[in-house]
Each structure stands twice: as structure tokens, then as C-alpha cells.
């Protein structure tokens, strides 16, 4: 009996050791597959496995040339630099040999690139983006709410916890998004964030090639893209190249001694973005801006490491190709190494000339923001290839203009007028992304002190000014945050996205009269804008605000739209004489919002109180 127990125990230990060896000896290859027909025929493979630097990579596939094999500080990595210019689609085995013994065998595939992939059209000024925080939009698959071996479990009672929204929930509500009139979908990061807590937002990546299982899978993300495309909606991926999560698999085995900035001594960024352009900036401030960590749970990547830089560039191309993306929103654009960001955007735009990328540079100074746009002639010679940026200066000026009174010569609408007047700083102001709010700031309804009339004017402006509009989920139903600055409340659950919700914004059930009114208001404007080409590409001419009224025209030859934003709470008549050059020959017009007809063949126009007018001049 004793011998039998001893035998069984020995067998169990052997099986456990074998399993542990197999786990430790597992080979990871990234990217796991690639495509033929890419403009850049170079391909870098990152191989990771136990002590593989002592092994010899061997394979034989026509058209695939090994340029070099790079070993690094960690013995568990090999980097293969290949040229695949002559290769055809197909599979081949990569073997890692120790002498004559094959220790690892990996079946690698070069896929056929989709026809026309290089010429894909990115988001443009004809689009309007709907921004979604996936954990807070809709729970389409409750089975993935919590995942075994992932620490951050479902907790809807915690404003900073995971609430269960997922990719399936977005797919199930694509018809709502389409019917509202949106044509592009920016989804906050969906890649794995296997952090111990506050992982729902997605900005602490722990695997660059894997969708977080609590959101779904790579295949579901691809399905989202396909389903969106069938509804003429482009998918915009939110990416983070500045930092990773502290539980990224690299952190257990960093490839090199310089994979991270301040790898041996954690330092926090100073957030002094101006130091990059400042001709008087100290080297200390510049370095801390580009190399300091956001927080200790977000290690800062060193993009000056060429192996890492190539890895990040290829990862971007992989997701564009795999998920058939229609654009990228790049988080914290000015925080990584500036030269790397220049090369990253160059490589992406070289591969996809009609693509679009919007970068986040959260500065209220147009001179700072414009520095990063493609075509800008910078004093220090810095060359950028970034097509678009988030227009934070206009967002801030719009809110201040709406909140301020009109009693002084430099308050109210003049703040917005003056900010738009700095468009000469941008090479392509029409390609900036304009927005009333986003996932990182108070809801626009909150910023405007829960004034629905002012919120309507903000939406009217965003949807008719130059640029590419972006609206945050829930703005259409006046979602607000009771505690200002609290991200967990700003990103609150969309009503109707969870089984049992008493209010359902997708159907309108339980919404207040004011919420339904705003939803219909936005739906009307968004669907009108779809076909309003003069808004997409027309020139903007604005007139200096006067007595609480701001007027501008979008015009493209015979096509004209007159936008009147009126903050007056008492009846006001707008004198039309100064607008004569734009109104010549126009006698009657109709307001897009109300459908009401207006007579322009007179000296004054009676304006609706504290409301916008959008007049098509035909």
C-alpha cells in the first residue's frame, strides 16, 4: 500500500514538473502572423521562451530572408529581422534548435493582404465620431464579466470598478448608433489590462496583441469592425504607446536594460508638455516630460530602443490590417520620444496614405497643439506626420464662451471667436477633431451647469464648425456627473445597457422629457449633417460677436449655411445688413432644427430666445 502511494505521489510530481516545464518553455512569437504585399517588406519577430538565446532559429521558406538575429540582455528573447519581399502567402515552420535537437517549433503564417487595404479611407470631416467607454456602455455577454485568474472582478457598486460592458454590447447596439447618425466609432482601449484594480478604462496595457477577455476576444473585435462597416461606420482604435501596465508580461522579464525609461529608478513625469517646444527649456524638464512615468502602475516605455520602436510600429500596422480600422486615436501623443512619434506616424501614413490618426495633446494653447500637425514648419526643424489633433483650445473656449456673460469687450462669444482666429497656426485646421467633452473631463452638460439650452448651442457649434466632430456616449441624453472631476462618475453606465435597467436610452423608455428632446435634437442634426457637404468641406467665415450673438457661414460656391448662436434670454432682433455679401439673392430660408421658415428679405431677423439657428441658404 505504501509503495503504491509513493508511486502515485512520484507520478503526480513528475506530471506537475512536466506541466511547469511546458509552461515555462512555451514559445511566444509576436506578431503571431503577418501579411504579404505590405509596402515595407521588413518584418521583426519577437521570440520569447526559456533560455532561447542559446538556440539556433532555422526555417526554409521561399522569399523570406533572414537579415540578422539579435540577442539581448535577457536570455529568453530572440529578435529575428526578416525581409519578406519575395514571399507568397503560406505557412512555414520556425524551429529553434539546440544542437541537433528541435526544442521549439512554431507554425508561422504569411496571409494574403485584403484587396485595396493600402488605400483605405480614414475618418474625415464628413464623419462624426461616437466615443464609447466599453465597460460602461452595454453588457452584451454577462458570462465574461469576471474572468478566472484576472484579479479585477465585476463590481458595479464601485465607481472605479469593472461594470461589465463589452464588445458584444456595442455590437448589439450598432443600429442605435447608426440611427442616431454617427459614422465613426471611437472605442476606448480594449486591449488586455490585467491589473489588480481600476483596469476598466483600458489605458494600462498588459498585452499588445490581445483583447481583454472581459471585453471579448480578438475575433469579437474584428466582428465589431465588420458589423460597423456594414452600417457605414468606421472603427477608430484607441492606442497607447507611451506606457504599459505594471503587470504587462514584459515586466517579469524585461528584454533589455533600457526597455523602460527610468528602469532602475521610478520618476514621475512633470507634465510640462511645453518643454518640448520651449526654446528656453532645461534638459531636466524636457527629459522628465518625455521619460517620466504617469504613475507607478504605468511604466514608461523607452521608444529610443530600436527593437521596442519597431515592435510598437508593427503592432499598430497589425491592428489596422487585422481589424480593418478606419482610424486611430493616439493617447498622450506628446509624452513619448518625439522622434519616435514622427517615425511612427510616417510609417503608418506611408503604408496607408488615406488613413487618419488623431493625437491627444491636451494643451489650451493652439501654438503648442499645432506643433504636432503634419505640414507644420517648426522653428526647431521638427517634422511631424500626424494628420489630426484633438482641438482642446476650441473646446475650452467654447465652454467659457457659453458660460460667460457678454458684458465685457473680451468675454462671452469673443473667447471662441478669438480662438478660432488662430487657425492660421495649423496646416490643416479642417482636419482637427472638435468635441464638447470626452472621457477625461466633466460632461458638457455639467460644464454648462446643467443648462440644456446652452448644451444645445454647444452641440450645434460642434456639428457645424470646421473639423471632425466627436461626441461622448450619453451626451444625447444629457448625462452628467454629480461630482466634478471624478472619472468613475463621468464614465457612468449608459441606461439600458444592462438587464434590469429601469431606464433605457436605446428605446427611450424612462427618459425625461428633456432627455428625449435632446436625443431627438441630436439625431436630427447628425442625420442632416451626413449629407451636408458644405459643412464637410465648405469654407468658414465668421463675424465678430455682437450683443450675445455669434454668426458664421459655411459656404462652398452656391451652397451656404448660416449658423446663428444666440445667448440672449430676452427677445432680440439681429440686424442683417452686414451679412449682405453672404445673403445676396436669398429671400427665404428654413431652420434645420425646427423646420420653421424665415424671411431674410428684411433688415432684421427675430431670433428664438437662447437658441441656435442653422439656416440653409438656397
Amino acid at each position: 500500500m505504501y509503495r503504491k502511494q509513493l508511486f502515485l505521489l512520484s507520478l503526480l510530481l513528475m506530471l506537475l514538473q512536466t506541466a511547469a516545464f511546458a509552461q515555462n518553455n512555451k514559445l511566444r512569437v509576436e506578431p503571431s502572423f503577418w501579411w504579404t504585399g505590405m509596402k515595407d517588406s521588413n518584418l521583426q519577430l519577437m521570440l520569447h521562451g526559456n533560455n532561447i538565446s542559446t538556440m539556433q532559429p532555422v526555417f526554409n521558406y521561399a522569399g523570406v530572408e533572414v537579415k540578422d538575429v539579435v540577442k539581448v540582455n535577457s536570455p529568453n528573447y530572440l529578435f529575428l529581422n526578416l525581409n519578406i519581399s519575395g514571399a507568397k502567402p503560406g505557412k512555414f515552420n520556425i524551429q529553434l534548435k539546440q544542437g541537433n535537437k528541435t526544442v521549439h517549433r512554431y507554425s508561422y503564417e504569411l496571409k494574403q493582404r485584403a484587396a485595396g487595404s493600402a488605400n483605405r479611407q480614414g475618418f474625415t470631416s464628413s464623419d462624426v465620431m461616437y466615443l464609447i467607454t466599453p465597460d460602461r456602455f452595454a453588457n452584451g455577454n454577462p458570462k465574461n464579466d469576471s474572468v478566472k485568474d484576472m484579479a479585477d472582478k465585476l463590481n458595479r457598486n464601485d465607481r472605479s470598478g469593472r461594470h461589465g460592458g463589452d464588445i458584444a454590447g456595442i455590437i448589439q447596439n450598432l443600429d442605435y448608433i447608426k440611427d442616431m447618425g454617427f459614422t465613426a466609432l471611437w472605442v476606448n482601449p480594449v486591449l488586455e489590462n490585467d491589473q489588480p484594480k481600476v483596469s476598466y478604462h483600458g489605458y494600462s496595457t498588459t498585452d499588445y496583441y490581445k483583447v481583454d477577455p472581459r471585453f471579448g476576444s480578438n475575433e469579437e473585435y474584428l466582428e465589431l469592425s465588420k458589423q460597423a462597416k456594414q452600417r457605414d461606420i468606421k472603427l477608430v482604435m484607441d492606442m497607447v504607446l507611451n506606457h504599459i501596465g505594471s503587470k504587462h508580461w514584459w515586466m517579469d522579464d524585461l528584454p533589455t536594460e533600457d526597455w523602460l525609461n527610468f528602469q532602475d529608478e521610478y520618476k514621475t513625469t512633470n507634465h510640462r508638455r511645453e518643454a518640448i517646444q520651449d526654446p528656453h527649456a532645461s534638459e531636466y524638464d524636457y527629459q522628465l516630460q518625455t521619460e517620466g512615468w504617469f504613475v507607478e502602475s504605468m511604466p514608461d516605455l523607452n521608444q529610443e530602443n530600436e527593437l521596442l520602436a519597431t515592435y510598437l510600429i508593427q503592432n499598430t500596422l497589425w491592428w489596422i490590417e487585422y481589424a480593418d480600422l478606419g482610424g486611430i486615436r493616439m493617447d498622450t501623443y506628446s509624452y513619448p520620444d518625439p522622434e519616435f512619434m514622427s517615425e511612427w506616424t510616417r510609417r503608418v501614413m506611408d503604408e496607408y496614405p488615406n488613413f487618419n490618426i488623431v493625437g491627444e495633446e491636451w494643451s489650451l494653447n493652439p501654438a503648442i497643439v499645432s506643433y504636432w500637425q503634419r505640414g507644420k514648419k517648426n522653428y526647431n526643424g521638427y517634422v511631424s506626420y500626424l494628420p489630426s489633433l484633438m482641438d482642446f483650445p476650441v473646446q475650452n473656449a467654447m465652454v467659457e464662451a457659453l458660460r460667460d456673460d457678454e458684458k465685457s469687450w473680451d468675454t462671452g462669444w469673443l473667447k471662441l471667436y478669438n480662438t478660432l482666429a488662430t487657425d492660421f497656426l495649423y496646416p490643416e485646421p479642417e482636419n482637427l477633431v472638435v468635441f464638447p467633452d470626452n472621457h477625461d473631463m466633466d460632461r458638457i452638460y455639467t460644464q454648462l451647469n446643467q443648462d440644456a439650452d446652452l448644451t444645445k448651442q454647444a452641440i450645434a457649434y460642434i456639428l457645424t464648425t470646421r473639423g471632425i466632430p466627436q461626441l461622448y456616449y450619453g451626451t444625447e441624453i444629457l448625462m452628467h456627473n454629480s461630482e466634478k472631476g471624478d472619472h468613475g462618475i463621468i464614465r457612468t453606465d449608459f441606461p439600458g445597457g444592462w438587464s434590469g435597467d429601469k431606464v433605457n436610452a436605446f428605446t427611450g423608455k424612462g427618459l425625461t422629457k428633456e432627455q428625449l428632446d435632446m436625443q431627438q435634437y441630436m439625431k436630427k442634426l447628425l442625420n442632416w449633417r451626413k449629407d451636408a457637404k458644405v459643412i464637410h468641406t465648405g469654407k468658414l467665415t465668421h463675424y465678430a460677436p455682437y450683443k450675445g450673438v455669434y454668426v458664421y457661414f459655411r459656404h462652398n460656391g452656391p451652397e451656404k449655411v448660416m449658423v446663428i448662436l444666440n445667448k440672449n434670454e430676452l427677445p432680440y432682433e439681429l440686424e442683417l445688413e452686414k451679412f449682405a455679401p453672404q445673403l445676396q439673392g436669398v429671400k427665404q430660408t428654413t431652420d434645420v432644427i425646427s423646420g420653421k421658415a424665415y424671411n431674410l428679405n428684411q433688415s432684421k431677423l427675430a431670433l428664438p430666445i437662447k437658441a441656435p439657428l442653422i439656416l440653409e441658404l438656397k
Side-chain angles (χ1 to χ4, degrees):
M1 186 68 176
Y2 174 75
R3 288 184 178 179
K4 185 177 181 180
Q5 290 176 330
L6 188 61
F7 172 75
L8 291 173
L9 181 60
S10 299
L11 181 61
L12 178 60
L13 287 171
M14 183 177 72
L15 290 172
L16 289 172
Q17 289 172 347
T18 302
F21 176 79
Q23 181 67 27
N24 293 334
N25 210 34
K26 185 178 179 181
L27 182 67
R28 178 192 286 261
V29 179
E30 292 181 344
S32 56
F33 57 83
W34 199 249
W35 295 266
T36 60
M38 301 290 278
K39 185 172 183 179
D40 189 339
S41 59
N42 295 308
L43 174 61
Q44 173 187 282
L45 299 184
M46 171 192 276
L47 278 58
H48 182 256
N50 189 41
N51 212 32
I52 63 172
S53 66
T54 63
M55 302 173 194
Q56 179 67 31
V58 177
F59 62 86
N60 184 18
Y61 190 72
V64 177
E65 172 196 357
V66 181
K67 296 170 65 178
D68 66 342
V69 178
V70 181
K71 298 180 181 181
V72 290
N73 298 102
S74 170
N76 303 319
Y77 289 88
L78 279 176
F79 290 83
L80 306 187
N81 289 315
L82 312 177
N83 185 287
I84 61 171
S85 59
K88 294 181 178 179
K91 295 181 179 180
F92 59 95
N93 285 327
I94 299 175
Q95 299 181 67
L96 292 183
K97 291 196 169 187
Q98 193 91 56
N100 294 324
K101 180 183 177 183
T102 298
V103 180
H104 294 285
R105 180 180 284 107
Y106 186 91
S107 178
Y108 202 82
E109 183 177 8
L110 293 175
K111 295 177 178 287
Q112 177 68 54
R113 194 179 189 191
S117 175
N119 297 318
R120 69 183 63 236
Q121 179 61 62
F123 59 85
T124 69
S125 55
S126 65
D127 291 306
V128 179
M129 293 185 199
Y130 192 52
L131 167 58
I132 287 176
T133 300
D135 182 63
R136 306 299 171 86
F137 185 65
N139 188 351
N141 179 17
K143 292 180 180 179
N144 65 16
D145 287 352
S146 294
V147 173
K148 185 181 178 182
D149 299 327
M150 299 188 85
D152 203 5
K153 308 293 185 184
L154 181 76
N155 187 355
R156 281 192 77 189
N157 294 321
D158 181 359
R159 64 182 65 175
S160 297
R162 300 194 77 94
H163 290 191
D166 50 29
I167 294 170
I170 301 174
I171 293 174
Q172 292 166 17
N173 292 290
L174 281 173
D175 285 337
Y176 168 81
I177 296 168
K178 175 182 172 61
D179 291 344
M180 280 296 298
F182 294 101
T183 60
L185 186 59
W186 161 21
V187 181
N188 284 151
V190 296
L191 297 185
E192 183 191 86
N193 271 233
D194 194 7
Q195 295 289 106
K197 60 182 180 179
V198 197
S199 65
Y200 76 92
H201 53 68
Y203 288 95
S204 300
T205 309
T206 56
D207 190 327
Y208 273 108
Y209 281 97
K210 181 183 179 184
V211 166
D212 194 297
R214 292 160 296 189
F215 289 144
S217 63
N218 288 19
E219 292 75 19
E220 281 183 282
Y221 189 67
L222 176 57
E223 184 62 21
L224 169 61
S225 180
K226 289 179 178 178
Q227 291 288 334
K229 194 171 185 178
Q230 289 175 13
R231 294 165 174 81
D232 297 319
I233 297 172
K234 298 164 184 170
L235 181 60
V236 179
M237 190 173 193
D238 202 338
M239 292 188 174
V240 190
L241 302 187
N242 177 65
H243 54 266
I244 55 176
S246 56
K247 296 299 180 181
H248 191 291
W249 66 269
W250 284 332
M251 297 302 291
D252 293 327
D253 186 17
L254 289 169
T256 68
E257 293 176 346
D258 63 347
W259 202 252
L260 306 176
N261 291 313
F262 297 116
Q263 189 157 308
D264 299 321
E265 182 187 5
Y266 161 69
K267 290 186 180 180
T268 308
T269 179
N270 55 10
H271 298 288
R272 296 278 70 86
R273 296 179 296 274
E274 297 81 3
I276 296 173
Q277 296 92 351
D278 181 4
H280 313 295
S282 66
E283 183 61 31
Y284 175 85
D285 287 337
Y286 182 95
Q287 183 185 26
L288 211 55
Q289 158 62 23
T290 60
E291 298 182 16
W293 298 21
F294 261 62
V295 290
E296 201 161 358
S297 62
M298 292 180 173
D300 200 77
L301 295 173
N302 175 24
Q303 298 87 11
E304 292 185 41
N305 181 301
E306 292 184 9
L307 295 171
L308 175 58
T310 300
Y311 177 96
L312 295 173
I313 291 169
Q314 285 188 170
N315 177 258
T316 300
L317 299 176
W318 190 91
W319 278 110
I320 295 172
E321 201 70 27
Y322 172 76
D324 195 17
L325 298 180
I328 290 170
R329 180 266 183 182
M330 178 51 66
D331 183 65
T332 56
Y333 193 88
S334 62
Y335 283 78
D337 175 67
E339 295 303 326
F340 165 76
M341 295 312 295
S342 176
E343 179 63 7
W344 175 79
T345 48
R346 185 194 70 79
R347 286 279 303 276
V348 173
M349 297 307 297
D350 194 43
E351 196 71 56
Y352 306 97
N354 301 319
F355 198 62
N356 209 347
I357 305 168
V358 56
E360 179 198 31
E361 169 58 297
W362 197 329
S363 172
L364 305 185
N365 185 344
I368 299 296
V369 178
S370 65
Y371 177 87
W372 300 103
Q373 194 175 34
R374 176 177 60 189
K376 178 73 172 183
K377 303 293 185 183
N378 289 309
Y379 82 96
N380 59 0
Y382 182 77
V383 177
S384 181
Y385 299 89
L386 179 67
S388 177
L389 288 118
M390 307 300 299
D391 198 341
F392 283 95
V394 157
Q395 189 279 333
N396 181 74
M398 180 191 71
V399 171
E400 289 190 352
L402 285 164
R403 285 194 308 219
D404 282 0
D405 59 44
E406 299 285 337
K407 295 178 181 178
S408 175
W409 68 275
D410 61 348
T411 60
W413 286 125
L414 273 168
K415 289 188 175 180
L416 183 55
Y417 173 84
N418 290 339
T419 300
L420 201 68
T422 64
D423 269 4
F424 65 88
L425 293 168
Y426 298 101
E428 297 179 76
E430 65 279 1
N431 203 27
L432 299 174
V433 172
V434 291
F435 56 101
D437 60 9
N438 64 23
H439 59 295
D440 285 328
M441 61 173 62
D442 290 331
R443 292 273 180 171
I444 185 61
Y445 189 47
T446 297
Q447 293 185 57
L448 297 176
N449 302 316
Q450 297 193 24
D451 186 321
D453 292 332
L454 291 183
T455 303
K456 283 184 175 182
Q457 297 212 49
I459 299 305
Y461 179 76
I462 292 298
L463 294 180
T464 57
T465 191
R466 56 90 177 119
I468 305 163
Q470 167 254 298
L471 298 170
Y472 194 29
Y473 81 95
T475 298
E476 71 268 33
I477 57 165
L478 296 173
M479 280 174 63
H480 60 281
N481 48 294
S482 55
E483 294 183 35
K484 292 187 176 182
D486 189 309
H487 287 181
I489 299 179
I490 291 168
R491 306 161 186 168
T492 199
D493 297 347
F494 192 71
W498 279 255
S499 177
D501 283 358
K502 293 180 181 179
V503 178
N504 190 328
F506 296 115
T507 64
K509 177 185 175 183
L511 293 178
T512 67
K513 183 180 179 180
E514 198 172 44
Q515 287 177 315
L516 286 169
D517 178 61
M518 177 61 77
Q519 193 177 47
Q520 289 303 310
Y521 171 85
M522 278 183 54
K523 184 176 182 178
K524 189 163 194 175
L525 276 184
L526 285 164
N527 281 285
W528 165 77
R529 191 186 189 280
K530 278 185 179 181
D531 300 317
K533 293 184 179 179
V534 67
I535 301 296
H536 306 165
T537 60
K539 183 181 178 182
L540 190 151
T541 299
H542 64 168
Y543 288 75
Y546 182 68
K547 292 189 176 181
V549 180
Y550 182 26
V551 178
Y552 56 92
F553 292 82
R554 301 301 307 275
H555 50 100
N556 189 6
E559 291 186 87
K560 296 178 183 178
V561 170
M562 181 183 191
V563 181
I564 306 171
L565 303 177
N566 176 28
K567 287 169 58 183
N568 288 289
E569 298 185 8
L570 296 173
Y572 182 82
E573 291 188 332
L574 177 69
E575 295 184 0
L576 297 177
E577 183 180 2
K578 64 182 175 184
F579 309 116
Q582 299 287 352
L583 298 178
Q584 188 175 6
V586 181
K587 297 180 179 180
Q588 292 283 334
T589 184
T590 303
D591 176 31
V592 169
I593 302 167
S594 65
K596 182 179 177 180
Y598 286 87
N599 180 15
L600 297 180
N601 192 25
Q602 53 188 346
S603 61
K604 293 183 179 181
L605 180 67
L607 302 181
I609 293 173
K610 201 180 176 183
L613 281 179
I614 302 175
L615 306 175
E616 291 185 296
L617 308 180
K618 296 180 180 179

